[in-house]
Amino acid sequence: MPDYETVSVDIPSRYCPLPTLRHPEEDVMARRTAEWIDSFGLPLTAQQRVRLRGNDCPGFYGRIMPRAPSDRLQLAVDWCTLMFHFDDVHCDEGPSGGRAARFAHLATKIVRILEVPQAYVDGPEDDPVLAPVADLARRAHRWATPTQLRRCADAHRAWFLAVLWELGHRAARSTPTLNDYAHMRQHTAAGAATLCWAEIIKGREIPERELSSSPVRALTELAFTTAAFDDDLFSYGKELWLEHARGGTPSGLSLVDVLSREHDCGRAEAMERAVELCNRLTHRFMSLHHQILPGASTPLRDHLAHLAHLLPGNLDWGLTADRYRNPDGLHPDAVTTTATRTCSPPAHTSPPPIPSIAWWWDPLDR
């Protein structure tokens, strides 16, 4: 085991033949989002400010939408910056006693404000995060269609419901089964809540008949789940470091821990199994993407492009963001995670023996 003053994790080779692109105005968006956060007077400690900068939200969204106008992309960057703070305080690292009740109370307010911005009423009992949420909602309502706004609210409901599922496991100190974790991870990672902003920023509404078709649903779930599993890989060193600092054990809510429990194996083997699964998912994503693209409408092509940028962009971002290298905002470079990427297809490309996601390999009709 590594010395816990620093943690080093080496991820086995990841199959991902897609290129990573960067937005040319990430620095500009970083400055704007810092000013935006400051304008609300959030009670942030110096440590929290370091962590907000270290999340590199312009770098994250800049890799998903590398050609978007920066003034429109700023909406997603601001949302990402605020929601990482919300996630840290209310989902992962806040006080455990009564956490689910506090989270549910605040989450329902956030969803309602996204639906109806004027529902926000500033009061002394309100969490300070709600004022910037209301600002985001007002900006989104100026640009988005009614369908896009509904999709945005529904995506946040899915995320928040999944977080409550996760909080239940944390409270019970239990590790979910692989079958449950595999289909829930896209939601606990806010997959749809992250990408719903891309449709609003791009401006073109994706026809429902295309977005809800089986192939596109499968492809979207593949992208969200693969990116979330990759999060588990490049955040694993952070989890180990934080759990040691707290004097505890890992939460069990990581693909590596789930696989270790499922197969009764050590962490090294579980990491190998995790990467093998990610490689298999990526291969299926590539195959299905090629199947869907020729017949896609222009708005759907935008969506497919965002998903294709997400996979390599998320990998690249996660390996460099200080969110994972400086776990608590006080220990720069406490965690080092290294990984290589390969364009060589994996040996195993058949459906994994996980019933909740195996349908992604079914013959899919449009």
Side-chain angles (χ1 to χ4, degrees):
M1 293 299 296
D3 178 354
Y4 277 101
E5 291 182 2
T6 60
V7 172
S8 296
V9 175
D10 185 25
I11 300 174
S13 184
R14 270 286 282 115
Y15 167 69
C16 189
L18 296 162
T20 300
L21 301 179
R22 299 291 298 270
H23 197 285
E25 296 184 70
E26 289 175 12
D27 290 343
V28 173
M29 290 187 288
R31 175 178 53 78
R32 288 175 183 162
T33 203
E35 293 171 350
W36 179 75
I37 287 288
D38 285 343
S39 71
F40 293 96
L42 294 180
L44 300 173
T45 65
Q47 179 183 1
Q48 288 172 325
R49 290 185 181 278
V50 169
R51 297 187 71 183
L52 284 180
R53 290 194 299 270
N55 289 335
D56 187 23
C57 294
F60 175 71
Y61 267 106
R63 290 169 169 89
I64 297 173
M65 303 185 73
R67 299 183 181 89
S70 64
D71 59 336
R72 290 184 69 94
L73 187 56
Q74 193 71 50
L75 176 66
V77 172
D78 291 349
W79 172 86
C80 186
T81 302
L82 184 66
M83 289 298 107
F84 267 135
H85 174 66
F86 168 73
D87 183 73
D88 287 342
V89 172
H90 294 283
C91 305
D92 289 341
E93 300 169 21
S96 57
R99 186 190 301 177
R102 290 194 303 274
F103 170 82
H105 175 74
L106 185 54
T108 54
K109 286 180 176 289
I110 290 174
V111 172
R112 189 55 178 167
I113 291 169
L114 289 174
E115 291 177 321
V116 185
Q118 59 268 35
Y120 170 68
V121 178
D122 189 12
E125 75 285 356
D126 280 331
D127 191 286
V129 78
L130 292 180
V133 167
D135 180 74
L136 290 167
R138 286 189 289 267
R139 290 155 65 187
H141 276 247
R142 287 197 294 267
W143 294 344
T145 68
T147 296
Q148 290 171 336
L149 292 170
R150 174 186 54 77
R151 289 171 179 169
C152 180
D154 288 348
H156 283 75
R157 282 196 185 91
W159 174 28
F160 295 154
L161 177 62
V163 171
L164 286 171
W165 172 84
E166 192 174 54
L167 289 175
H169 276 287
R170 291 182 187 275
R173 298 184 181 276
S174 60
T175 299
T177 65
L178 177 60
N179 192 51
D180 286 343
Y181 190 76
H183 80 87
M184 288 299 294
R185 187 65 181 105
Q186 63 173 306
H187 302 300
T188 61
T194 299
L195 259 289
C196 69
W197 301 104
E199 183 185 7
I200 292 172
I201 290 162
K202 192 68 179 180
R204 292 190 282 244
E205 183 181 303
I206 306 167
E208 188 64 38
R209 62 177 178 79
E210 288 188 300
L211 191 61
S212 296
S213 69
S214 292
V216 176
R217 283 177 47 237
L219 186 76
T220 302
E221 290 192 7
L222 270 162
F224 293 166
T225 303
T226 305
F229 283 171
D230 280 331
D231 288 349
D232 286 350
L233 299 181
F234 53 66
S235 69
Y236 197 62
K238 170 190 171 181
E239 296 300 322
L240 290 176
W241 193 94
L242 286 173
E243 292 300 335
H244 175 76
R246 297 171 184 150
T249 57
S251 66
L253 291 164
S254 161
L255 181 60
V256 177
D257 290 325
V258 169
L259 287 169
S260 178
R261 176 185 180 278
E262 193 92 359
H263 296 281
D264 191 22
C265 64
R267 287 174 175 158
E269 181 181 338
M271 177 66 78
E272 292 278 356
R273 287 178 177 270
V275 172
E276 189 276 329
L277 177 58
C278 289
N279 289 345
R280 195 183 300 212
L281 296 180
T282 304
H283 186 272
R284 178 55 177 162
F285 174 88
M286 297 296 297
S287 174
L288 195 53
H289 190 277
H290 290 315
Q291 174 187 328
I292 296 170
L293 186 61
S297 66
T298 298
L300 180 60
R301 283 176 173 263
D302 293 337
H303 180 64
L304 300 182
H306 299 151
L307 297 178
H309 287 312
L310 171 65
L311 293 189
N314 182 62
L315 266 174
D316 186 57
W317 167 81
L319 292 171
T320 58
D322 277 350
R323 177 173 181 81
Y324 305 106
R325 299 173 60 87
N326 184 0
D328 61 353
L330 297 173
H331 294 82
D333 297 320
V335 178
T336 301
T337 303
T338 56
T340 57
R341 283 166 51 181
T342 179
C343 293
S344 300
H348 302 290
T349 60
S350 59
I354 306 174
S356 65
I357 65 172
W359 76 274
W360 296 338
W361 277 259
D362 289 350
L364 301 174
D365 299 323
R366 294 185 66 85

mmCIF file of all heavy atoms in Angstrom, residues 284-325:
data_model
loop_
_atom_site.group_PDB
_atom_site.id
_atom_site.type_symbol
_atom_site.label_atom_id
_atom_site.label_comp_id
_atom_site.label_asym_id
_atom_site.label_seq_id
_atom_site.Cartn_x
_atom_site.Cartn_y
_atom_site.Cartn_z
ATOM 1 N N ARG A 284 -18.411 -0.517 -27.272
ATOM 2 C CA ARG A 284 -19.812 -0.547 -27.681
ATOM 3 C C ARG A 284 -20.301 0.855 -28.034
ATOM 4 O O ARG A 284 -21.087 1.034 -28.986
ATOM 5 C CB ARG A 284 -20.673 -1.140 -26.556
ATOM 6 C CG ARG A 284 -22.174 -1.182 -26.875
ATOM 7 C CD ARG A 284 -22.462 -1.909 -28.172
ATOM 8 N NE ARG A 284 -23.896 -2.000 -28.445
ATOM 9 C CZ ARG A 284 -24.407 -2.275 -29.641
ATOM 10 N NH1 ARG A 284 -23.610 -2.506 -30.686
ATOM 11 N NH2 ARG A 284 -25.720 -2.339 -29.809
ATOM 12 N N PHE A 285 -19.859 1.864 -27.300
ATOM 13 C CA PHE A 285 -20.218 3.244 -27.628
ATOM 14 C C PHE A 285 -19.774 3.583 -29.052
ATOM 15 O O PHE A 285 -20.552 4.148 -29.830
ATOM 16 C CB PHE A 285 -19.579 4.220 -26.641
ATOM 17 C CG PHE A 285 -19.793 5.662 -26.998
ATOM 18 C CD1 PHE A 285 -20.918 6.339 -26.549
ATOM 19 C CD2 PHE A 285 -18.883 6.350 -27.793
ATOM 20 C CE1 PHE A 285 -21.146 7.667 -26.893
ATOM 21 C CE2 PHE A 285 -19.092 7.678 -28.138
ATOM 22 C CZ PHE A 285 -20.224 8.339 -27.684
ATOM 23 N N MET A 286 -18.542 3.248 -29.387
ATOM 24 C CA MET A 286 -18.028 3.566 -30.721
ATOM 25 C C MET A 286 -18.861 2.887 -31.803
ATOM 26 O O MET A 286 -19.222 3.502 -32.808
ATOM 27 C CB MET A 286 -16.570 3.135 -30.823
ATOM 28 C CG MET A 286 -15.619 3.848 -29.875
ATOM 29 S SD MET A 286 -15.499 5.629 -30.191
ATOM 30 C CE MET A 286 -14.816 5.612 -31.860
ATOM 31 N N SER A 287 -19.183 1.618 -31.594
ATOM 32 C CA SER A 287 -19.959 0.869 -32.577
ATOM 33 C C SER A 287 -21.352 1.456 -32.752
ATOM 34 O O SER A 287 -21.827 1.658 -33.880
ATOM 35 C CB SER A 287 -20.046 -0.597 -32.136
ATOM 36 O OG SER A 287 -20.895 -1.332 -32.993
ATOM 37 N N LEU A 288 -22.004 1.751 -31.659
ATOM 38 C CA LEU A 288 -23.365 2.277 -31.718
ATOM 39 C C LEU A 288 -23.381 3.703 -32.263
ATOM 40 O O LEU A 288 -24.300 4.093 -33.007
ATOM 41 C CB LEU A 288 -23.980 2.228 -30.324
ATOM 42 C CG LEU A 288 -25.495 2.384 -30.190
ATOM 43 C CD1 LEU A 288 -26.230 1.390 -31.083
ATOM 44 C CD2 LEU A 288 -25.914 2.202 -28.737
ATOM 45 N N HIS A 289 -22.387 4.488 -31.933
ATOM 46 C CA HIS A 289 -22.280 5.856 -32.462
ATOM 47 C C HIS A 289 -22.212 5.826 -33.986
ATOM 48 O O HIS A 289 -22.907 6.613 -34.661
ATOM 49 C CB HIS A 289 -21.042 6.521 -31.875
ATOM 50 C CG HIS A 289 -20.930 7.991 -32.145
ATOM 51 N ND1 HIS A 289 -20.416 8.499 -33.319
ATOM 52 C CD2 HIS A 289 -21.263 9.078 -31.384
ATOM 53 C CE1 HIS A 289 -20.427 9.818 -33.278
ATOM 54 N NE2 HIS A 289 -20.933 10.199 -32.119
ATOM 55 N N HIS A 290 -21.399 4.938 -34.531
ATOM 56 C CA HIS A 290 -21.279 4.825 -35.993
ATOM 57 C C HIS A 290 -22.598 4.372 -36.610
ATOM 58 O O HIS A 290 -22.923 4.748 -37.745
ATOM 59 C CB HIS A 290 -20.169 3.854 -36.355
ATOM 60 C CG HIS A 290 -18.791 4.369 -36.060
ATOM 61 N ND1 HIS A 290 -18.386 5.653 -36.370
ATOM 62 C CD2 HIS A 290 -17.716 3.772 -35.474
ATOM 63 C CE1 HIS A 290 -17.127 5.835 -35.989
ATOM 64 N NE2 HIS A 290 -16.702 4.714 -35.432
ATOM 65 N N GLN A 291 -23.364 3.568 -35.884
ATOM 66 C CA GLN A 291 -24.650 3.082 -36.392
ATOM 67 C C GLN A 291 -25.681 4.204 -36.462
ATOM 68 O O GLN A 291 -26.464 4.281 -37.412
ATOM 69 C CB GLN A 291 -25.164 1.959 -35.489
ATOM 70 C CG GLN A 291 -26.572 1.467 -35.825
ATOM 71 C CD GLN A 291 -27.101 0.482 -34.793
ATOM 72 O OE1 GLN A 291 -26.357 -0.290 -34.191
ATOM 73 N NE2 GLN A 291 -28.405 0.509 -34.564
ATOM 74 N N ILE A 292 -25.684 5.069 -35.486
ATOM 75 C CA ILE A 292 -26.722 6.104 -35.382
ATOM 76 C C ILE A 292 -26.422 7.326 -36.239
ATOM 77 O O ILE A 292 -27.324 7.936 -36.816
ATOM 78 C CB ILE A 292 -26.879 6.527 -33.904
ATOM 79 C CG1 ILE A 292 -27.374 5.361 -33.054
ATOM 80 C CG2 ILE A 292 -27.824 7.715 -33.765
ATOM 81 C CD1 ILE A 292 -27.326 5.637 -31.560
ATOM 82 N N LEU A 293 -25.169 7.708 -36.332
ATOM 83 C CA LEU A 293 -24.788 8.994 -36.921
ATOM 84 C C LEU A 293 -25.333 9.242 -38.323
ATOM 85 O O LEU A 293 -25.841 10.345 -38.596
ATOM 86 C CB LEU A 293 -23.260 9.136 -36.912
ATOM 87 C CG LEU A 293 -22.699 10.483 -37.366
ATOM 88 C CD1 LEU A 293 -23.194 11.612 -36.459
ATOM 89 C CD2 LEU A 293 -21.172 10.447 -37.380
ATOM 90 N N PRO A 294 -25.270 8.285 -39.258
ATOM 91 C CA PRO A 294 -25.693 8.606 -40.633
ATOM 92 C C PRO A 294 -27.129 9.091 -40.756
ATOM 93 O O PRO A 294 -27.430 9.942 -41.601
ATOM 94 C CB PRO A 294 -25.489 7.271 -41.373
ATOM 95 C CG PRO A 294 -24.441 6.561 -40.595
ATOM 96 C CD PRO A 294 -24.708 6.924 -39.172
ATOM 97 N N GLY A 295 -28.050 8.585 -39.947
ATOM 98 C CA GLY A 295 -29.446 8.979 -40.079
ATOM 99 C C GLY A 295 -29.895 10.046 -39.106
ATOM 100 O O GLY A 295 -31.100 10.338 -39.020
ATOM 101 N N ALA A 296 -28.962 10.659 -38.395
ATOM 102 C CA ALA A 296 -29.322 11.615 -37.348
ATOM 103 C C ALA A 296 -29.645 12.990 -37.921
ATOM 104 O O ALA A 296 -29.023 13.442 -38.888
ATOM 105 C CB ALA A 296 -28.178 11.740 -36.348
ATOM 106 N N SER A 297 -30.613 13.662 -37.307
ATOM 107 C CA SER A 297 -30.911 15.047 -37.654
ATOM 108 C C SER A 297 -29.773 15.938 -37.157
ATOM 109 O O SER A 297 -28.912 15.514 -36.385
ATOM 110 C CB SER A 297 -32.225 15.479 -37.008
ATOM 111 O OG SER A 297 -32.085 15.511 -35.588
ATOM 112 N N THR A 298 -29.788 17.200 -37.582
ATOM 113 C CA THR A 298 -28.737 18.126 -37.149
ATOM 114 C C THR A 298 -28.698 18.298 -35.629
ATOM 115 O O THR A 298 -27.622 18.230 -35.030
ATOM 116 C CB THR A 298 -28.904 19.488 -37.837
ATOM 117 O OG1 THR A 298 -28.772 19.305 -39.259
ATOM 118 C CG2 THR A 298 -27.845 20.477 -37.364
ATOM 119 N N PRO A 299 -29.851 18.494 -34.953
ATOM 120 C CA PRO A 299 -29.777 18.606 -33.488
ATOM 121 C C PRO A 299 -29.263 17.333 -32.821
ATOM 122 O O PRO A 299 -28.525 17.404 -31.833
ATOM 123 C CB PRO A 299 -31.224 18.908 -33.084
ATOM 124 C CG PRO A 299 -31.850 19.496 -34.295
ATOM 125 C CD PRO A 299 -31.203 18.790 -35.442
ATOM 126 N N LEU A 300 -29.649 16.179 -33.348
ATOM 127 C CA LEU A 300 -29.154 14.931 -32.766
ATOM 128 C C LEU A 300 -27.661 14.780 -33.018
ATOM 129 O O LEU A 300 -26.927 14.284 -32.153
ATOM 130 C CB LEU A 300 -29.911 13.725 -33.329
ATOM 131 C CG LEU A 300 -29.467 12.368 -32.767
ATOM 132 C CD1 LEU A 300 -29.645 12.308 -31.255
ATOM 133 C CD2 LEU A 300 -30.248 11.233 -33.439
ATOM 134 N N ARG A 301 -27.201 15.219 -34.173
ATOM 135 C CA ARG A 301 -25.750 15.175 -34.429
ATOM 136 C C ARG A 301 -24.984 16.009 -33.401
ATOM 137 O O ARG A 301 -23.885 15.640 -32.988
ATOM 138 C CB ARG A 301 -25.454 15.668 -35.858
ATOM 139 C CG ARG A 301 -25.757 14.643 -36.939
ATOM 140 C CD ARG A 301 -25.537 15.199 -38.342
ATOM 141 N NE ARG A 301 -25.682 14.150 -39.333
ATOM 142 C CZ ARG A 301 -24.686 13.468 -39.879
ATOM 143 N NH1 ARG A 301 -23.432 13.762 -39.527
ATOM 144 N NH2 ARG A 301 -24.903 12.521 -40.759
ATOM 145 N N ASP A 302 -25.562 17.148 -33.026
ATOM 146 C CA ASP A 302 -24.929 17.944 -31.970
ATOM 147 C C ASP A 302 -24.795 17.114 -30.689
ATOM 148 O O ASP A 302 -23.746 17.102 -30.045
ATOM 149 C CB ASP A 302 -25.772 19.192 -31.666
ATOM 150 C CG ASP A 302 -25.813 20.180 -32.822
ATOM 151 O OD1 ASP A 302 -24.897 20.149 -33.656
ATOM 152 O OD2 ASP A 302 -26.769 20.986 -32.869
ATOM 153 N N HIS A 303 -25.865 16.428 -30.318
ATOM 154 C CA HIS A 303 -25.870 15.592 -29.107
ATOM 155 C C HIS A 303 -24.824 14.479 -29.207
ATOM 156 O O HIS A 303 -24.081 14.225 -28.252
ATOM 157 C CB HIS A 303 -27.267 15.007 -28.914
ATOM 158 C CG HIS A 303 -27.405 14.122 -27.715
ATOM 159 N ND1 HIS A 303 -27.262 14.571 -26.422
ATOM 160 C CD2 HIS A 303 -27.681 12.784 -27.622
ATOM 161 C CE1 HIS A 303 -27.447 13.563 -25.580
ATOM 162 N NE2 HIS A 303 -27.699 12.473 -26.277
ATOM 163 N N LEU A 304 -24.773 13.839 -30.366
ATOM 164 C CA LEU A 304 -23.796 12.764 -30.554
ATOM 165 C C LEU A 304 -22.377 13.293 -30.436
ATOM 166 O O LEU A 304 -21.491 12.627 -29.873
ATOM 167 C CB LEU A 304 -24.000 12.102 -31.922
ATOM 168 C CG LEU A 304 -25.361 11.460 -32.192
ATOM 169 C CD1 LEU A 304 -25.382 10.803 -33.572
ATOM 170 C CD2 LEU A 304 -25.723 10.440 -31.116
ATOM 171 N N ALA A 305 -22.154 14.492 -30.950
ATOM 172 C CA ALA A 305 -20.817 15.094 -30.852
ATOM 173 C C ALA A 305 -20.465 15.393 -29.399
ATOM 174 O O ALA A 305 -19.326 15.169 -28.972
ATOM 175 C CB ALA A 305 -20.757 16.366 -31.689
ATOM 176 N N HIS A 306 -21.421 15.901 -28.639
ATOM 177 C CA HIS A 306 -21.154 16.195 -27.227
ATOM 178 C C HIS A 306 -20.791 14.916 -26.469
ATOM 179 O O HIS A 306 -19.873 14.916 -25.645
ATOM 180 C CB HIS A 306 -22.371 16.859 -26.584
ATOM 181 C CG HIS A 306 -22.745 18.160 -27.220
ATOM 182 N ND1 HIS A 306 -24.035 18.631 -27.252
ATOM 183 C CD2 HIS A 306 -21.990 19.096 -27.850
ATOM 184 C CE1 HIS A 306 -24.070 19.791 -27.880
ATOM 185 N NE2 HIS A 306 -22.841 20.097 -28.251
ATOM 186 N N LEU A 307 -21.504 13.825 -26.745
ATOM 187 C CA LEU A 307 -21.199 12.556 -26.089
ATOM 188 C C LEU A 307 -19.812 12.057 -26.480
ATOM 189 O O LEU A 307 -19.059 11.542 -25.645
ATOM 190 C CB LEU A 307 -22.251 11.504 -26.449
ATOM 191 C CG LEU A 307 -23.690 11.774 -25.998
ATOM 192 C CD1 LEU A 307 -24.616 10.653 -26.485
ATOM 193 C CD2 LEU A 307 -23.775 11.922 -24.486
ATOM 194 N N ALA A 308 -19.473 12.217 -27.756
ATOM 195 C CA ALA A 308 -18.168 11.756 -28.227
ATOM 196 C C ALA A 308 -17.033 12.607 -27.662
ATOM 197 O O ALA A 308 -15.916 12.118 -27.479
ATOM 198 C CB ALA A 308 -18.122 11.771 -29.755
ATOM 199 N N HIS A 309 -17.294 13.881 -27.378
ATOM 200 C CA HIS A 309 -16.287 14.722 -26.725
ATOM 201 C C HIS A 309 -16.192 14.412 -25.231
ATOM 202 O O HIS A 309 -15.126 14.555 -24.628
ATOM 203 C CB HIS A 309 -16.640 16.207 -26.900
ATOM 204 C CG HIS A 309 -16.428 16.734 -28.291
ATOM 205 N ND1 HIS A 309 -15.273 16.511 -29.005
ATOM 206 C CD2 HIS A 309 -17.235 17.491 -29.082
ATOM 207 C CE1 HIS A 309 -15.374 17.105 -30.188
ATOM 208 N NE2 HIS A 309 -16.548 17.703 -30.264
ATOM 209 N N LEU A 310 -17.334 14.006 -24.638
ATOM 210 C CA LEU A 310 -17.357 13.751 -23.199
ATOM 211 C C LEU A 310 -16.372 12.655 -22.793
ATOM 212 O O LEU A 310 -15.652 12.816 -21.800
ATOM 213 C CB LEU A 310 -18.782 13.370 -22.766
ATOM 214 C CG LEU A 310 -18.946 12.853 -21.330
ATOM 215 C CD1 LEU A 310 -18.622 13.938 -20.316
ATOM 216 C CD2 LEU A 310 -20.371 12.316 -21.117
ATOM 217 N N LEU A 311 -16.345 11.558 -23.526
ATOM 218 C CA LEU A 311 -15.535 10.418 -23.088
ATOM 219 C C LEU A 311 -14.044 10.744 -22.998
ATOM 220 O O LEU A 311 -13.444 10.585 -21.929
ATOM 221 C CB LEU A 311 -15.782 9.211 -23.996
ATOM 222 C CG LEU A 311 -17.174 8.584 -23.919
ATOM 223 C CD1 LEU A 311 -17.217 7.271 -24.686
ATOM 224 C CD2 LEU A 311 -17.609 8.355 -22.486
ATOM 225 N N PRO A 312 -13.403 11.208 -24.071
ATOM 226 C CA PRO A 312 -11.977 11.529 -23.939
ATOM 227 C C PRO A 312 -11.739 12.781 -23.109
ATOM 228 O O PRO A 312 -10.751 12.874 -22.373
ATOM 229 C CB PRO A 312 -11.514 11.726 -25.385
ATOM 230 C CG PRO A 312 -12.744 12.182 -26.107
ATOM 231 C CD PRO A 312 -13.875 11.427 -25.458
ATOM 232 N N GLY A 313 -12.661 13.767 -23.218
ATOM 233 C CA GLY A 313 -12.478 15.005 -22.473
ATOM 234 C C GLY A 313 -12.534 14.787 -20.980
ATOM 235 O O GLY A 313 -11.738 15.357 -20.218
ATOM 236 N N ASN A 314 -13.464 13.960 -20.530
ATOM 237 C CA ASN A 314 -13.590 13.663 -19.109
ATOM 238 C C ASN A 314 -12.354 12.934 -18.588
ATOM 239 O O ASN A 314 -11.866 13.221 -17.486
ATOM 240 C CB ASN A 314 -14.848 12.815 -18.872
ATOM 241 C CG ASN A 314 -15.083 12.494 -17.420
ATOM 242 O OD1 ASN A 314 -15.288 13.366 -16.596
ATOM 243 N ND2 ASN A 314 -15.049 11.210 -17.087
ATOM 244 N N LEU A 315 -11.838 11.997 -19.381
ATOM 245 C CA LEU A 315 -10.615 11.291 -18.985
ATOM 246 C C LEU A 315 -9.455 12.264 -18.840
ATOM 247 O O LEU A 315 -8.724 12.244 -17.841
ATOM 248 C CB LEU A 315 -10.267 10.233 -20.037
ATOM 249 C CG LEU A 315 -10.758 8.812 -19.825
ATOM 250 C CD1 LEU A 315 -10.444 7.962 -21.051
ATOM 251 C CD2 LEU A 315 -10.147 8.192 -18.579
ATOM 252 N N ASP A 316 -9.288 13.128 -19.822
ATOM 253 C CA ASP A 316 -8.181 14.081 -19.814
ATOM 254 C C ASP A 316 -8.315 15.058 -18.655
ATOM 255 O O ASP A 316 -7.354 15.331 -17.930
ATOM 256 C CB ASP A 316 -8.167 14.831 -21.152
ATOM 257 C CG ASP A 316 -6.973 15.746 -21.297
ATOM 258 O OD1 ASP A 316 -5.843 15.265 -21.193
ATOM 259 O OD2 ASP A 316 -7.189 16.958 -21.505
ATOM 260 N N TRP A 317 -9.528 15.579 -18.450
ATOM 261 C CA TRP A 317 -9.780 16.524 -17.367
ATOM 262 C C TRP A 317 -9.548 15.877 -16.006
ATOM 263 O O TRP A 317 -8.898 16.450 -15.127
ATOM 264 C CB TRP A 317 -11.215 17.042 -17.474
ATOM 265 C CG TRP A 317 -11.698 17.771 -16.258
ATOM 266 C CD1 TRP A 317 -11.452 19.065 -15.905
ATOM 267 C CD2 TRP A 317 -12.524 17.233 -15.206
ATOM 268 N NE1 TRP A 317 -12.069 19.362 -14.708
ATOM 269 C CE2 TRP A 317 -12.727 18.258 -14.260
ATOM 270 C CE3 TRP A 317 -13.108 15.973 -14.997
ATOM 271 C CZ2 TRP A 317 -13.500 18.062 -13.111
ATOM 272 C CZ3 TRP A 317 -13.863 15.783 -13.860
ATOM 273 C CH2 TRP A 317 -14.048 16.823 -12.931
ATOM 274 N N GLY A 318 -10.069 14.675 -15.813
ATOM 275 C CA GLY A 318 -10.002 14.037 -14.507
ATOM 276 C C GLY A 318 -8.592 13.711 -14.053
ATOM 277 O O GLY A 318 -8.311 13.677 -12.847
ATOM 278 N N LEU A 319 -7.706 13.488 -14.988
ATOM 279 C CA LEU A 319 -6.330 13.146 -14.644
ATOM 280 C C LEU A 319 -5.490 14.381 -14.325
ATOM 281 O O LEU A 319 -4.384 14.257 -13.812
ATOM 282 C CB LEU A 319 -5.680 12.352 -15.781
ATOM 283 C CG LEU A 319 -6.256 10.953 -15.994
ATOM 284 C CD1 LEU A 319 -5.698 10.337 -17.273
ATOM 285 C CD2 LEU A 319 -5.942 10.041 -14.801
ATOM 286 N N THR A 320 -6.019 15.564 -14.631
ATOM 287 C CA THR A 320 -5.241 16.783 -14.423
ATOM 288 C C THR A 320 -5.874 17.752 -13.430
ATOM 289 O O THR A 320 -5.182 18.615 -12.885
ATOM 290 C CB THR A 320 -5.029 17.524 -15.764
ATOM 291 O OG1 THR A 320 -6.302 17.825 -16.357
ATOM 292 C CG2 THR A 320 -4.232 16.665 -16.746
ATOM 293 N N ALA A 321 -7.190 17.632 -13.168
ATOM 294 C CA ALA A 321 -7.882 18.591 -12.312
ATOM 295 C C ALA A 321 -7.392 18.478 -10.867
ATOM 296 O O ALA A 321 -7.219 17.375 -10.335
ATOM 297 C CB ALA A 321 -9.389 18.367 -12.370
ATOM 298 N N ASP A 322 -7.197 19.623 -10.234
ATOM 299 C CA ASP A 322 -6.779 19.639 -8.833
ATOM 300 C C ASP A 322 -7.857 19.094 -7.905
ATOM 301 O O ASP A 322 -7.569 18.804 -6.742
ATOM 302 C CB ASP A 322 -6.411 21.062 -8.407
ATOM 303 C CG ASP A 322 -4.995 21.443 -8.800
ATOM 304 O OD1 ASP A 322 -4.238 20.540 -9.226
ATOM 305 O OD2 ASP A 322 -4.654 22.627 -8.695
ATOM 306 N N ARG A 323 -9.090 18.958 -8.389
ATOM 307 C CA ARG A 323 -10.145 18.347 -7.579
ATOM 308 C C ARG A 323 -9.698 16.982 -7.061
ATOM 309 O O ARG A 323 -10.084 16.585 -5.953
ATOM 310 C CB ARG A 323 -11.420 18.202 -8.409
ATOM 311 C CG ARG A 323 -12.552 17.501 -7.667
ATOM 312 C CD ARG A 323 -13.850 17.541 -8.457
ATOM 313 N NE ARG A 323 -14.937 16.891 -7.728
ATOM 314 C CZ ARG A 323 -15.640 17.455 -6.757
ATOM 315 N NH1 ARG A 323 -15.380 18.695 -6.403
ATOM 316 N NH2 ARG A 323 -16.611 16.801 -6.156
ATOM 317 N N TYR A 324 -8.917 16.281 -7.854
ATOM 318 C CA TYR A 324 -8.480 14.936 -7.478
ATOM 319 C C TYR A 324 -7.028 14.897 -7.011
ATOM 320 O O TYR A 324 -6.638 13.969 -6.312
ATOM 321 C CB TYR A 324 -8.698 13.985 -8.664
ATOM 322 C CG TYR A 324 -10.127 14.023 -9.136
ATOM 323 C CD1 TYR A 324 -10.487 14.662 -10.322
ATOM 324 C CD2 TYR A 324 -11.148 13.464 -8.368
ATOM 325 C CE1 TYR A 324 -11.808 14.727 -10.731
ATOM 326 C CE2 TYR A 324 -12.479 13.537 -8.765
ATOM 327 C CZ TYR A 324 -12.796 14.165 -9.945
ATOM 328 O OH TYR A 324 -14.110 14.241 -10.333
ATOM 329 N N ARG A 325 -6.246 15.886 -7.383
ATOM 330 C CA ARG A 325 -4.842 15.924 -6.967
ATOM 331 C C ARG A 325 -4.666 16.553 -5.590
ATOM 332 O O ARG A 325 -3.734 16.216 -4.852
ATOM 333 C CB ARG A 325 -4.019 16.697 -8.005
ATOM 334 C CG ARG A 325 -4.027 16.075 -9.398
ATOM 335 C CD ARG A 325 -3.341 16.976 -10.417
ATOM 336 N NE ARG A 325 -1.962 17.212 -10.038
ATOM 337 C CZ ARG A 325 -0.950 16.409 -10.367
ATOM 338 N NH1 ARG A 325 -1.184 15.293 -11.052
ATOM 339 N NH2 ARG A 325 0.277 16.693 -10.009
#
